[in-house]
Amino acid sequence: MKAPSDFQLQADLRRPGRRVTNQRWLILEVVRGTDSHPTAEWVYQKVRRRLPRISLGTVYRNLKLLAEEGLIQELESRGFGRYDGNTARHDHFTCQRCGRIFDLEVRVDPSLGRRIGARTGFTITHHRIEFYGLCASCVLAAGHAKGGETSKRARHRP
Amino acid sequence: MKAPSDFQLQADLRRPGRRVTNQRWLILEVVRGTDSHPTAEWVYQKVRRRLPRISLGTVYRNLKLLAEEGLIQELESRGFGRYDGNTARHDHFTCQRCGRIFDLEVRVDPSLGRRIGARTGFTITHHRIEFYGLCASCVLAAGHAKGGETSKRARHRP
DNA sequence: TTCATATTCAGGAATGATTCTTATTACTAT
DNA sequence: ATAGTAATAAGAATCATTCCTGAATATGAA
Ligand SMILES: [Mn+2]
Ligand SMILES: [Mn+2]
Ligand SMILES: [Zn+2]
Ligand SMILES: [Zn+2]
């Protein structure tokens, strides 16, 4: 499973009745160019630097379209949507203090879906594992701030 | 891990500066009385039959409060929140055709969090596994409707 | 190249779930 | 009974997202 080349992406994106506009291409590049699992708003701000006239609606429309094409993936998160340029199967860790989402390097047993499917009667196509807790830097920060609510860092929202 | 008695729930709910109103109690009973992982709106409609003057805002406020007390749990779902009266650790299967969420009877290795935590440097407090695919009845229905988009059943939204 | 057509765009209005505000009501403890 | 606190109903406000419009633009055939 290797990263698709730009050429490959062009091919996936260029299909009858579908254009590759700068807006669309740039949005794809921005999402692929970060591992921060950004929100639509974050992508919008990033893309705006190069295409100042782009509208937020265009960002939303294209993020959805790119996810349907399978070129990016949409994460299941509470409140607002987040996107992931890494389409390889991988799991996530969410820090409950700073809100950041990290990719897990270690791979959890990929046959889990098949095993559970066989045992339950459900036809399982895929599964998702999310871990929650504190990231390394938040463990430190939480240690310092013993006894005070004051130093709770503002939550990230990439 | 056994179901808490009503007495125990009363104790958890009754703490300094916190009352047990009929609204609150009834909302808890409704969520505990179903395994359908209902939305706030569904709970509202159910509670309304017994307390016709209750407001939707009250339902939202109490669902959140009950989740904070640990008497119910809030699920991570896209678009709108769902609640679960079963606070025991268990996993879920979501049918992508009818939208229903089922409890998994089989328990997936509960030491997963500890194992991954040790390997990644994250301090993991808990994790969540969600399976996706088709439930038994939707597999049947999808089989019948070969070649036609027409018979897609309307999505449940308890 | 020119033309016809379909796609995409920007901008802004609309939607829908959730939270917030406020005046009123219901408990609880004295 | 009284005072003080917590919770409520009703509805306004918020926020992310989707939808709608008319204009702009890419594409492919002639
Ligand atoms: Mn990722
Ligand atoms: Mn459940
Ligand atoms: Zn953190
Ligand atoms: Zn189903």
Side-chain angles (χ1 to χ4, degrees):
Chain A
M1 195 162 295
K2 63 188 215 294
S5 65
D6 278 14
F7 182 79
Q8 180 58 48
L9 290 172
Q10 283 267 11
D12 286 342
L13 212 43
R14 188 186 301 283
R15 42 162 61 196
R18 177 141 297 168
R19 299 180 196 162
V20 187
T21 60
N22 331 9
Q23 287 91 333
R24 184 163 300 160
W25 186 254
L26 189 45
I27 289 166
L28 176 56
E29 275 194 335
V30 164
V31 177
R32 286 210 300 148
T34 182
D35 58 353
S36 71
H37 309 89
T39 62
E41 179 65 30
W42 188 91
V43 174
Y44 173 54
Q45 296 302 341
K46 210 86 199 287
V47 169
R48 216 139 86 101
R49 297 187 199 151
R50 283 216 256 157
L51 283 178
R53 295 194 50 80
I54 198 173
S55 75
L56 182 55
T58 295
V59 173
Y60 272 105
R61 180 162 27 80
N62 281 297
L63 285 172
K64 203 209 259 187
L65 184 148
L66 290 168
E68 278 162 5
E69 297 290 346
L71 294 171
I72 64 177
Q73 65 173 129
E74 195 172 1
L75 304 184
E76 196 100 350
S77 81
R78 191 72 172 55
F80 37 78
R82 311 192 77 134
Y83 294 86
D84 193 338
N86 180 0
T87 55
R89 164 114 201 45
H90 66 287
D91 302 305
H92 292 111
F93 169 83
T94 301
C95 176
Q96 292 179 310
R97 186 163 179 278
C98 65
R100 279 181 292 183
I101 300 176
F102 300 85
D103 289 324
L104 281 196
E105 303 305 336
V106 280
R107 169 132 330 163
V108 181
D109 176 12
S111 71
L112 192 58
R114 216 170 319 124
R115 290 211 331 269
I116 301 296
R119 228 177 291 176
T120 57
F122 294 120
T123 301
I124 293 176
T125 58
H126 63 288
H127 66 274
R128 183 197 307 280
I129 311 183
E130 311 272 1
F131 296 90
Y132 300 88
L134 293 179
C135 73
S137 57
C138 281
V139 167
L140 274 178
H144 292 166
K146 267 202 280 275
E149 291 288 280
T150 45
S151 69
K152 260 183 189 164
R153 199 195 332 173
R155 302 202 143 227
H156 280 240
R157 246 180 81 180
Chain B
M1 197 160 297
K2 64 189 217 290
S5 66
D6 277 15
F7 181 80
Q8 180 58 49
L9 290 173
Q10 283 266 11
D12 287 341
L13 213 42
R14 188 184 302 283
R15 43 161 63 196
R18 178 141 298 169
R19 298 180 198 161
V20 187
T21 60
N22 336 12
Q23 288 92 332
R24 184 162 298 163
W25 187 252
L26 190 45
I27 288 166
L28 176 57
E29 276 194 335
V30 165
V31 177
R32 285 211 299 148
T34 181
D35 59 354
S36 72
H37 310 90
T39 62
E41 178 66 29
W42 189 90
V43 174
Y44 174 54
Q45 296 302 340
K46 209 88 199 283
V47 168
R48 219 139 84 101
R49 298 188 198 151
R50 284 216 256 156
L51 284 178
R53 296 194 47 80
I54 198 172
S55 75
L56 182 55
T58 296
V59 173
Y60 272 105
R61 180 162 28 79
N62 281 298
L63 285 172
K64 203 210 260 189
L65 184 148
L66 291 168
E68 276 162 7
E69 297 290 347
L71 295 170
I72 64 177
Q73 64 172 131
E74 194 173 3
L75 304 185
E76 196 100 350
S77 78
R78 192 65 173 48
F80 36 79
R82 312 192 76 133
Y83 294 87
D84 192 338
N86 179 0
T87 55
R89 210 223 152 306
H90 65 287
D91 302 304
H92 293 112
F93 169 83
T94 301
C95 176
Q96 292 179 310
R97 186 163 179 278
C98 65
R100 280 181 292 183
I101 299 176
F102 301 85
D103 289 324
L104 282 196
E105 304 304 337
V106 280
R107 169 136 330 167
V108 181
D109 176 11
S111 71
L112 192 57
R114 217 170 318 122
R115 288 214 331 272
I116 300 297
R119 228 176 291 178
T120 57
F122 294 121
T123 302
I124 293 176
T125 58
H126 63 288
H127 66 273
R128 182 196 308 281
I129 311 183
E130 312 272 0
F131 296 89
Y132 301 88
L134 293 179
C135 73
S137 56
C138 280
V139 166
L140 274 180
H144 291 168
K146 267 201 279 273
E149 290 289 277
T150 46
S151 68
K152 263 183 187 161
R153 199 198 326 176
R155 302 202 142 227
H156 280 239
R157 247 180 80 180

